[in-house]
């Protein structure tokens, strides 16, 4: 009799634990679905012509060669800069482990190779995070500048624009492609990064 009661309690505890796990798993999936929707929506912003400035956010450099993610950002930024001759480019990214040059320098070289005049490119080469990319780049924005655009891979645009807007910038995001091989990892890491951003803003408020 006692044995049966113990087994019954154990069975109920297991069922309760399984039920709790399922509820948590569903909530996490719904939350990640919400973040994914926000990321997808951010890909379809109305991009202004003739922006006063363009910020390119840094990404990994392999030695002195831009990673594919960074190269896609350079390519997308150069398209806009070639079509909008008055727009000033701010390349933002410091030098990290395994990088022989700063991400900013790699972007500067890449833009010049695409036909962008060096006089139109401002380098910010101290930042190490997305937040620093934007805050440090902000210092180089001309005082009279009113509108801007920011270039990063598509999964990154939502958070980048959110941070820039929070910093008082009137800015829109231009999404570059994300390498297919990096999509799962990039999106999962971005879900976590956005969550950290939300929590940080909640604490600050």
């Amino acid at each position: 009799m006692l044995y049966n009661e113990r087994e019954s309690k154990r069975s109920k505890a297991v069922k309760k634990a399984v039920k709790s796990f399922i509820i948590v798993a569903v909530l996490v999936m719904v939350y990640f679905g919400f973040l994914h929707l926000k990321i997808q929506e951010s890909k379809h912003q109305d991009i202004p012509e003739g922006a006063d400035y363009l910020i390119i956010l840094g990404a990994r450099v392999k030695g002195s060669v831009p990673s594919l993610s960074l190269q896609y950002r350079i390519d997308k930024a150069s398209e806009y800069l070639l079509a909008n001759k008055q727009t000033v480019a701010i390349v933002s990214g410091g030098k990290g482990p395994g990088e022989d040059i700063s991400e900013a320098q790699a972007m500067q070289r890449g833009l010049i190779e695409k036909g962008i005049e060096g006089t139109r490119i401002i380098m910010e080469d101290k930042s190490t995070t997305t937040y620093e990319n934007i805050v440090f780049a902000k210092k180089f924005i001309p005082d009279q500048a009113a509108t801007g655009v920011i270039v990063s891979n598509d999964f990154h645009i939502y958070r980048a624009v959110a941070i820039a807007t929070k910093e008082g910038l009137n800015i829109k995001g231009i999404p570059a492609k994300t390498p297919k091989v990096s999509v799962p990892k990039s999106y999962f890491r971005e879900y976590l990064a956005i969550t950290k951003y939300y929590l940080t803003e909640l604490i600050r408020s």
Side-chain angles (χ1 to χ4, degrees):
M1 186 70 174
L2 185 59
Y3 174 80
N4 291 337
E5 288 179 358
R6 287 177 179 175
E7 283 298 309
S8 178
K9 289 180 179 179
R10 185 177 300 171
S11 177
K12 288 180 180 179
V14 170
K15 289 180 180 179
K16 186 176 181 180
V18 170
K19 184 178 180 180
S20 297
F21 174 80
I22 292 173
I23 291 173
V24 171
V26 169
L27 290 175
V28 169
M29 291 176 62
V30 169
Y31 173 68
F32 279 7
F34 165 78
L35 295 183
H36 192 77
L37 178 62
K38 289 294 184 182
I39 290 172
Q40 296 306 311
E41 288 177 347
S42 70
K43 297 180 185 180
H44 306 291
Q45 301 180 35
D46 293 327
I47 308 303
E49 295 183 1
D52 297 309
Y53 62 91
L54 176 150
I55 300 173
I56 314 176
L57 302 182
R60 185 183 175 196
V61 174
K62 300 177 181 179
S64 60
V65 179
S67 62
L68 187 54
S69 291
L70 185 56
Q71 187 60 55
Y72 283 157
R73 300 182 191 194
I74 294 169
D75 293 344
K76 183 59 69 172
S78 65
E79 288 177 11
Y80 187 91
L81 292 169
L82 289 171
N84 297 272
K85 300 292 185 180
Q86 75 280 22
T87 303
V88 174
I90 304 172
V91 291
S92 181
K95 180 181 174 182
E99 298 178 335
D100 296 333
I101 60 174
S102 69
E103 295 165 7
Q105 188 175 355
M107 288 185 277
Q108 180 195 46
R109 290 180 179 180
L111 290 177
I112 291 174
E113 289 174 0
K114 293 287 185 177
I116 309 302
E117 302 88 346
T119 54
R120 295 175 62 192
I121 305 170
I122 301 171
M123 287 181 57
E124 181 291 296
D125 60 359
K126 303 300 181 186
S127 57
T128 58
T129 65
T130 299
Y131 178 77
E132 289 183 354
N133 282 158
I134 293 166
V135 172
F136 293 0
K138 182 181 175 181
K139 299 176 182 178
F140 294 95
I141 297 173
D143 293 336
Q144 69 276 16
T147 61
V149 291
I150 193 166
V151 178
S152 191
N153 301 105
D154 51 16
F155 70 89
H156 196 209
I157 288 295
Y158 170 66
R159 181 163 57 98
V161 171
I163 294 172
T165 301
K166 188 73 175 181
E167 290 300 312
L169 300 181
N170 178 20
I171 205 163
K172 297 290 185 180
I174 301 179
K177 293 187 298 184
T178 298
K180 291 182 179 179
V181 68
S182 302
V183 167
K185 179 178 70 175
S186 296
Y187 272 78
F188 181 73
R189 289 177 62 183
E190 189 63 13
Y191 296 153
L192 300 181
I194 294 172
T195 301
K196 181 181 178 181
Y197 169 72
Y198 283 164
L199 293 174
T200 301
E201 289 302 311
L202 184 62
I203 293 171
R204 286 177 179 174
S205 62

